[in-house]
Amino acid sequence: GSGETAVPFDTHNGNTLLTGDLDRCQPSSDFPEEFEFSENTQNTKTRRRRVTCKATVGRMPYLDECLPDDEECIANWTSNIIQMEQFQLHRAKGGPDYTELRAARMGELGTETAFEVLAKAKKLEAEGKHIIHLEIGEPDFDTPENIVAEGVKAMQSGDTHYTPAAGTARLKEAVVSHIRRTRGVEVEPENCLAFPGAKPIMFFTMLALIEAGDEVIYPNPGFPIYESMISFCGGTPVALPMLEEKAFRFDAEHLERLITPRTKLIILNTPGNPTGGVLTHEDLEHVASLAKEHDITILSDEVYDMILYDGATHESMLALPGMLDRTILLAGHSKNYAMTGWRMGYGVFPPTLAPMIQKLIVNSNSCTAAFTQAAAAEALDGPQSATHEMVEEFRARRDIVVEGLTNMGLTCQAPQGAFYIFPSIRGAGVPHSSAELADYFLYSCGVALLDGTCFGAHGDGYLRLSYANSRENLQLALERIKEGLERLRADNSLWPCAATDAAIASLEASYASGSADLEQVGFVSAMVLALMGNYSGTGHYGGPLSYIPSVVALHLAGGENGGLRYDIRSPKAPLTDKYMMTAGHCANTNYSVWMVLYEAMRKHRAATGDSHFDFSEEAAVLAQDALGFRRNPQAAADLLKDHGLEDHPLFAGRGRPIRPLMGHAETTDVTNDVNGGPSGIGVANAAGKAMFWDMVGAPEEVKVWALEGEFAFTEGHAQELKTIAAAQQVGKRLRVLLSNNNAGIDDALIGKDGKSGVVPEGPIADQYDLALQFSSYGWNVFEVKDGGSYEQLVEVMAKTESWPQDDRRPMVIIANTVKGWWPADIENQIVGHQSHPYGHAMNGEYFQALAASFEERFGVRFDGIADGPVSGAERIVQFQQNIDVALSVLDQDDGRLAKWVAERLTNIAYEHGAVEAKANLSVSREGNPFKDRRLRLDEIPLFPVDVNPSRTVELFAEVGRKWGARRAISEVGAWINHVTGNRWITVAADLSSSINIENASLTGHYDPIHNPSGTRLKAGIQECGNASTVCGLASQTVSSDPSEHIGFWGVSGTYGAFTPLMYLPLRIFAQQKQDSPFDIGVVTIVAGHSGPETAADARSHFGIFSPQVWTLFPEGQVINLHLWDYNDVAPAYFGAMQHALSHKEVAGIVIHVARPDSQVADRSRWADSDIMAASKGAYVIREYDRSLPRHGTIVVQGTSSMVSVLDSLPRLAKNGHNVRVVYVVSEELFNTQPESYRERVMSDADRVDCMVVTTGTKRVMPLAMLGPLTKEYSMSSDHDDKWRTGGLEAEIIREAKLDPESVFQGITRFAEARFTRFARQRTAVKALFDAE
């Protein structure tokens, strides 16, 4: 309050607005920039004040004019700091900041909360949750057929043009007749106006009548847009309470007290939304009397006038004496005729007001659609039976809901109109607000309804339910609401959209008493795993069994104990903890544990009927899915049919068909995140994933758990993770659980105790220290002596959770495990690689020993295993029977274990909800930023653009400037970062400058503490790990929509010769992108210094053969761009980007560029002079001279190749060699072009009459299916089938025979041999015909 202390606040990206008690606190007035601060109050109108504050990063403005006792005031300021997406304090995006430039009145514009709740509900549905919609006020009936038919008829007959602004004559006549028939009033057609919906009627009325200072009385609770439009038009909203004790009508004396000389308008709504209240004739007479006495206009909202019950009648203000000329009737078709999507409203206005409103129509929407008006006229004039039937069904539904809510103890009046119920929660027996309950019912019960305060302050303590839904859904919603209330009454904890402290405390208590339950879950999981291996004759017992305790602990220990925070009912929600089973061949560990968890949920749901335990079967792993282990989709789908078991009672009633469980560690099922590949490779992208959540400002609780074995960390990718994770300071975001059982597939890693190993026993093995290997790289190392002990595992996991957040060392837990672990003592237990099931007969001796220990522990008996191997249908039946036996342990003691697991999982879901609720990300969760129109080909800037005071982006350069293609890469990246808000992240060791991605960053080097918005990652020469990192980064998303990726694109690169080191991470990433149920980002690889031009470096650097690995993908999954000219780079890359955004299977874009600079080409005389031609994949530089004989097409790729070809063209023309020249940027992009374009550039005839000039290898041509003699006449860096030597650039180009003189001679040879070439091909074709 003294003005001497600065209060810190978070200014990440500067996206901050402050809210507080501004009546008491005055910010300093000497700061240069203005911002708007808003006070959150319960008043009927939000008060706003313009104040000034200093835009000082890292601290709040001084509050130097506060009163001496204003400590509470300062507390209000600091506690109400909120993130505002897309508010850029420094205008980092470069364009206008419309949050600053907006008109002040935009701050007064409200919204309709029903659509916000609908969006939340749709988000939950996208995550797999079942939501019953009672929030939206829309009839669930189709528009009556006669109305639809009239609309279609109108369109077919040509009624698709402008109509008079006021509406068609036919509609006006229909309105006049309808008003006469329903209200007994005669109105003139010229006073009846048509609108696209009813909202414009109230909006235009207020625009025409309300000025600053005018007061408008409106019903509260009432339609929220009333208050919004009053404020927007400058008026003062004055709330008229609709009282429950008066059947949600107003008190006449109270209304009279609200009228002042400034009262201009009174809004009435009958029947009313949200209450269903219906005004009486006496109510209307009282309003009419006041209106005439005080010269007030009435806006009468009567959109529900035909939806009435129990003999209620509709009274209209229009019908009262003397009111026709001071009443505006607001009516429409949406509710009465189920025409919400048609957008049709009509109003009746006083004669002197109608022309003004018509002028507003002309200046806004011009008119209402002609065919909509035709349908609307039919609705009014035609049969009304469909509406009567709809109302009768609404009445029946109303009665169901009223009875159900009343039986729960809620105070609930039966509405007389509309299709809403507005129950009071005051008798609910829970101490929570209506807003909290509305969120609770949505997130915890799956019922979407509205908090009464959505309709104004007088709605507090109420809920609004729309019964425009089926009777079945209404009954189910009532069951869920009842169950939810009972849960709240029982423990008085609440989960509106997250867990409370009470729920988390319950979670901790349930773990403290449940370590024995973890062990039981682990034993059942181990038995399921052994059964799958036994009957499938494939998979592994050893490694997968050793991971059972850790996987069970991670899934059930709870977030407070270091376990996963996730919702198993929606396991792919963005802010869940990321779980990565990266250990090779251990997916069956996941399958087994998931099967136990989901079957526990299913069994407990069946036992209790509690919908809280519902889940999507499509996302789950269920008992029948064991039959799909290591089967592909078609085999799993046909399994029962192929064995004649489709009607077998064992498989009846199991819900969905068998799900194939075909993956290794790279699967994306249930909680498993998108991984990076097999042993050693999968774990390498974990740092990129962890870094993502730092970059988006996720809550500190969000973490990545990766499980891997000791052998895998001898692999190069995994080794490089050690440095990368430390360099990026991922801290406790990344936790690796390393299972150390010293047992590989064949050999042990370390020789000891007389057992040989890769590292021989003795002094070397004695110093081979896994913990030291990590700690020496800067990791935090924790050790678990017995990785089969749940107590020890959870103790260390909890330690990692409570570890200081500011310790930025990544974490590894080294757990000593046993390959072939079993949770019970087994005589002659088999461990090591011999534990693989393919080494044991089905139902063999060892498997029987495992099964016997389970039988003894739980008192169950497996079927038929003592009788030896089985096959065919018998195997499948026995397999399923014994899976069911193992899972029957969940049912013992009245389902005690199933109950413990199910309740534990839902409590863990509360934990995840708490994280979700507190998340205040630094990036928007709506819309893929890479789809910004400024990144489209037709929108990218052709001229230099200043994106900040010190950076100008030039996507295109002037002709003749000596700028090579690689220089444009940074410009492309900088433009993308400018548009997307820094989402193009680069990782490229010391070559970042050399391959020219360094300057793509507008925000500098990334640092999670000091510069989290940086886009350039410092990295070592770790090409495998760098590629893995960007794949991990691009695999993450904050989007709840599985079809929309919202995250980052990753970029890495190196010399083209070394990019094969990056191949495997991207190859696995591509398969994930292909198979994943959710979209992920795109990775860009820069194969820099490709071709023979890397002259001054060692010859091993030449990128001639190696970059061809990027063609070794399924067609279309990677787009290769071979760029030679600066002005080709932007069109090609943005063309590839547009294609990738519309084709989910595109995982990568590979940019091939050479090191040396070349002059920017003059395209003015080219056959295709389009500056965007490169986006089409191939373009024609020179066409044939039609006056001369043709000598064939020169297909070119690569910088030196193209420069030499262009240099040769004048000499070739002078010598009469009439060739056409086609440059191929990208075969992948070229193949996406229309057939007409492809035929024009490279027809089939051109393909058999061409040669290639390329800096690459002749073994991989720029285009497929070229003619049989093409290779013979082509020119490439490997023309003599030898590696190039080295030297200066000009020397190596001559050695590659790609210098201008060699190219001239080569093309001459090709052109002059045309007759010979054709003759040879004709002879070959003739031989084919002759052979026939």
Side-chain angles (χ1 to χ4, degrees), residues 516-535:
D517 294 309
L518 284 182
E519 293 173 3
Q520 290 190 52
V521 172
F523 207 155
V524 176
S525 300
M527 193 67 244
V528 168
L529 188 153
L531 286 163
M532 290 196 298
N534 176 64
Y535 287 106

Side-chain angles (χ1 to χ4, degrees), residues 212-343:
D214 290 341
E215 294 178 351
V216 179
I217 297 173
Y218 71 101
N220 189 315
F223 187 46
I225 302 304
Y226 299 148
E227 182 179 1
S228 170
M229 290 188 180
I230 295 166
S231 299
F232 185 77
C233 293
T236 301
V238 179
L240 175 63
M242 299 289 111
L243 305 173
E244 182 180 9
E245 62 267 25
K246 294 183 68 67
F248 291 112
R249 296 164 32 240
F250 58 84
D251 178 84
E253 292 181 1
H254 187 81
L255 170 62
E256 193 166 348
R257 289 196 299 271
L258 293 178
I259 294 176
T260 73
R262 295 185 300 276
T263 303
K264 191 77 166 284
L265 184 70
I266 296 175
I267 301 175
L268 302 177
N269 179 207
T270 182
N273 172 20
T275 65
V278 175
L279 299 181
T280 65
H281 184 76
E282 290 73 19
D283 294 329
L284 297 183
E285 282 189 326
H286 189 77
V287 174
S289 173
L290 292 172
K292 285 185 278 191
E293 178 183 348
H294 298 282
D295 194 21
I296 298 171
T297 302
I298 306 299
L299 174 60
S300 186
D301 182 346
E302 299 174 21
V303 295
Y304 298 94
D305 62 315
M306 296 177 68
I307 305 177
L308 297 161
Y309 316 109
D310 304 333
T313 58
H314 177 67
E315 297 274 350
S316 175
M317 184 63 75
L318 278 182
L320 270 64
M323 293 304 295
L324 184 61
D325 290 338
R326 66 170 64 250
T327 297
I328 300 155
L329 171 66
L330 184 156
H333 289 62
S334 291
K335 316 299 183 179
N336 293 337
Y337 300 104
M339 294 177 66
T340 52
W342 292 79
R343 307 315 302 136

Side-chain angles (χ1 to χ4, degrees), residues 1181-1196:
I1181 291 178
R1182 174 178 174 170
E1183 265 295 1
Y1184 289 123
D1185 183 337
R1186 295 184 180 181
S1187 66
L1188 299 173
R1190 300 180 178 185
H1191 290 137
T1193 296
I1194 315 302
V1195 176
V1196 190

Side-chain angles (χ1 to χ4, degrees), residues 121 233 487 595 1016 1042 1125:
C233 293
R487 286 198 300 272
M595 192 178 299
R1016 197 290 211 200
D1125 187 62

Side-chain angles (χ1 to χ4, degrees), residues 337 407 428 483 499 513 561 841 1138 1250 1315:
Y337 300 104
N407 289 341
E483 292 167 2
S513 62
N561 289 312
Q1138 284 185 204
C1250 70
F1315 178 81

